Amino acid sequence: SSFDFNSMELPGEHSLCFQTNSSHWWGNEQIKFHLDVETGVDAKASTNPWEAPAAELESIQAIEKHVELLKAKMAEIKHTSENMIEREHTFRMTSDSTFRRVWLSAVVQGILLVALAMWQVNSITQMLKERKLV
């Protein structure tokens, strides 16, 4: 004889107990039996036609719900990632533009400072020559 059960509703550790129908108290009988336990994805469906489809259908529907939820989360993560990449690109462009403007401003200020210093030196030397101090 054979039997099977589905432990989807009660996950955890299960124990199987076997007992003989022998009426001998101390017999020299040897009992052999074959025990085939299948678990996980490779386990066969129940042979009971009334239980197997409903249990499998519920299991498949639950998995489908989880897959749809994961797909939605993946789409959200992808969208967020694309937004972050776009913001990083915009920030990089703004940062580079600001750097160029600050650098140009510093160069222009340096040129003006050198030109002003040369003008002041030239003006002072002309003034000193006019007053005949040099």
Side-chain angles (χ1 to χ4, degrees):
S1 81
S2 67
F3 73 97
D4 59 350
F5 68 96
N6 184 352
S7 64
M8 295 292 281
E9 290 81 24
L10 299 171
E13 193 171 309
H14 299 278
S15 298
L16 301 175
C17 300
F18 299 96
Q19 182 176 5
T20 65
N21 291 335
S22 174
S23 60
H24 297 100
W25 285 74
W26 295 283
N28 289 336
E29 291 183 13
Q30 290 185 350
I31 299 174
K32 278 187 172 181
F33 68 94
H34 176 74
L35 178 63
D36 186 17
V37 177
E38 295 179 2
T39 61
V41 177
D42 298 327
K44 295 178 184 174
S46 174
T47 55
N48 185 344
W50 301 105
E51 292 178 9
E56 289 176 6
L57 183 62
E58 288 176 10
S59 175
I60 290 171
Q61 288 173 344
I63 291 172
E64 284 178 348
K65 286 180 184 177
H66 288 293
V67 167
E68 292 300 321
L69 179 65
L70 290 173
K71 283 171 63 175
K73 286 182 180 180
M74 283 177 50
E76 182 181 351
I77 290 170
K78 182 181 176 186
H79 180 51
T80 303
S81 176
E82 289 172 351
N83 284 344
M84 286 178 60
I85 290 170
E86 187 176 335
R87 281 186 297 206
E88 286 175 1
H89 178 69
T90 304
F91 179 77
R92 178 63 186 224
M93 297 304 288
T94 304
S95 177
D96 288 347
S97 173
T98 303
F99 176 77
R100 281 191 301 272
R101 283 186 266 147
V102 168
W103 180 253
L104 181 62
S105 172
V107 168
V108 169
Q109 285 179 6
I111 292 171
L112 287 175
L113 183 65
V114 169
L116 184 62
M118 289 171 50
W119 177 76
Q120 282 182 343
V121 168
N122 191 22
S123 297
I124 289 176
T125 54
Q126 282 181 0
M127 181 189 72
L128 292 175
K129 283 181 183 180
E130 287 175 4
R131 293 189 182 180
K132 298 182 182 181
L133 295 174
V134 175

